[in-house]
Each structure stands twice: as structure tokens, then as C-alpha cells.
Amino acid sequence: MHALKDKVSQKLSNLFADSPSQSASPRHSLTDSPKASGKSFTSYFSFGAGNEDEDSESSLPPPLPIRSDSYESVENCKQQDCKKNQTSTMIGNEGNVKEITESSAFISANLCEFLHACLPNIVRGCKWVLVYSTLKHGISLRTLLRKSAELPGPCLLVAGDKQGAVFGALLDCPLIPTPKRKYQGTSQTFLFTTIYGQPRIFRPTGANRYYYMCMNEFLAFGGGGSFALCLDEDLLKATSGPSETFGNECLASSTEFELKNVELWGFAHASQYLSS
């Protein structure tokens, strides 16, 4: 019995001696484990993910070339639009200037466009007829009053000082002088000036009805404080100051000044102008 037991134990010991040890197994080698190599499982996965990103980036098509002239093309379009607008404005100015039948000492294309937009609808599209000019008819207020009867209706008085300011007013013709100081006109009367650089208009404020006063000795506009504009009987000197009627400041280069020229423009329909 003991001999059988010894034989069995010897065979078992021989069996264990011949079998490989666990430490020699490659599956459980500590050197190949992630911890032993200093790498975690996440590092293996991140390494694989990184390879996938590199592959995806390398597989993307190259970016399209950027056109360096795209901004310039937009600017060119803007410049072309500006040129078109400038051209259309010039055409509009030329169209309004063509309505003026004679040359003016003051009315430029820009001022003509401005005044045309300020005029009442009844005279828009009409020919501008020079009724009076100190260069053609002499320096006399009485002559201006007499000539104003040639073309009844709204008329435009345009004057200027020797410093370059241009100003004037819209009033009703014929101008009828009164023996005493008496205001005339309607709410469509307005004043304008270029003293501020660009043409500027002053319409009645509603404070009073002192539109204009016409006498043989002077022609004045506005009131309530001072005359907005007052021309003497020789049309050589004039004054200008703030008025409540139009809410204006001085229209000329100074409050007292010498006139360079005075013009009075009437309006006539094309058929009426051609038949006259």
C-alpha cells in the first residue's frame, strides 16, 4: 500500500516537474502587460484613434485656392455703381440746366438741381425765363418791379455778394409796390443761401406772416427781429439778419454787403415760351 502511494506521488512530482511554469507563459508575462510596459489600455486605444485621424486628414482633398482678387472685384463693383450714380446725377443736372433759357451769373448745375427740387409743383418742368438782370437791364429796383409783370406767377429772385455767397427767394409776380409798409406773399415763399457750403432752404416757420414787403425804396423778406434779406432801391447794397418768419441766420457773408448782381427768373411752359 505504501509502495503504491510512493509510486503515485513520484509520478505526480515528475508530471509537475515536466510541465511549464506559469512565469514562463507568454500569455501572463509581466513584461508584455500594459502596466509593465508603462502604457495603459487607453494609450493603446488613443494610439489607434490617432492613426485613424491621421488617415482621415490625409484622405481629405486639398483646400481650394483662395482668390486674391475677390475683394478687388467687390470694390470694382462698388466703384462701377458709384460711377453709374454719378452719371445719372449728372444727366439729371444737365436736364434741369437745359430748362434755363439763358446763362446765369449764379445758378450752377448743383444749385439748379437744388432749386428745382424746392419749387412748387405748378412750375416744375417749366422753362426758366430770365425776366430781369442787373447786367442786362441796369441797376434799378423800379426796373425789376416793372419787368416782373411780364411773366405772372411764382418767380425766383437770385442774388449774390462779392464774397461769393448766393442767396435769394421765391415770391409771386408781378411785384406790386405799396405806398406804405405792408407785407405780402403766401406760405409758399421761401429763402435759400449757399453760405453754409451746400444750398440750404428756409421755409416759413408759422411764427408770423411777414413773407415779403415791396416798396419803391426797397424789397425786403421776413420780419420779427430783422429783415432776413433787404435790397435797396439801387440794387447795390443789401442787408441780411435773423428773422422769425423763416427761422434763418444771416444769408450772406456779412450783415451789410454790396450786391454783385441780381436776377429775377420766371417760369413758362415750353409751348408758351416758344410762342412768345
Side-chain angles (χ1 to χ4, degrees), residues 13 42 44 52 56 60 64 68 99 110 117 125 131 137 143 150 174 177 183 199 211 244 246 274:
S13 61
T42 56
Y44 282 100
E52 291 177 1
S56 61
L60 291 175
L64 294 175
S68 59
E99 296 176 355
N110 185 33
V131 177
H137 305 99
T143 304
E150 296 180 0
Y183 279 97
Y211 302 120
E244 296 179 358
F246 299 99
L274 293 175

Side-chain angles (χ1 to χ4, degrees), residues 134-150:
T134 53
L135 297 178
K136 293 180 61 177
H137 305 99
I139 48 175
S140 172
L141 177 60
R142 291 178 181 267
T143 304
L144 186 151
L145 300 180
R146 186 178 69 255
K147 297 285 290 182
S148 69
E150 296 180 0

